[in-house]
Amino acid sequence: MDIDKARGLSDAELETALNEAKQDLWQARFALSTRQLKDYSTISQTRRAIARILTVQRERNAERAARTA
């Protein structure tokens, strides 16, 4: 997921995407530990997707805090 796509999602959709990405990361790490993972790049791609989602959530929280202050 790229940053523009993440910014286009609603808060609820972001939360869902975050939960799915965390589940995907857990599954990839489990597959890695059982030597079933074929494409190791999925781990770093999923970590980056999680970071992008968290970045968008933090940006939105900062905007809300700035509006109330």
Side-chain angles (χ1 to χ4, degrees):
M1 172 181 300
D2 61 349
I3 194 74
D4 293 327
K5 183 178 177 184
R7 286 188 176 126
L9 298 177
S10 69
D11 291 339
E13 290 171 332
L14 273 177
E15 193 64 36
T16 303
L18 179 61
N19 289 335
E20 289 175 1
K22 285 183 177 181
Q23 182 67 27
D24 290 344
L25 181 61
W26 184 86
Q27 289 174 349
R29 286 180 174 164
F30 184 79
L32 178 65
S33 68
T34 59
R35 297 179 185 254
Q36 296 175 351
L37 186 64
K38 302 282 188 237
D39 184 14
Y40 297 106
S41 67
T42 58
I43 292 176
S44 61
Q45 290 171 354
T46 306
R47 289 179 63 221
R48 286 188 183 110
I50 290 171
R52 288 181 184 117
I53 293 168
L54 290 174
T55 298
V56 172
Q57 286 180 334
R58 286 186 191 110
E59 286 174 349
R60 290 183 183 178
N61 289 337
E63 285 177 14
R64 287 185 196 116
R67 280 189 230 149
T68 59

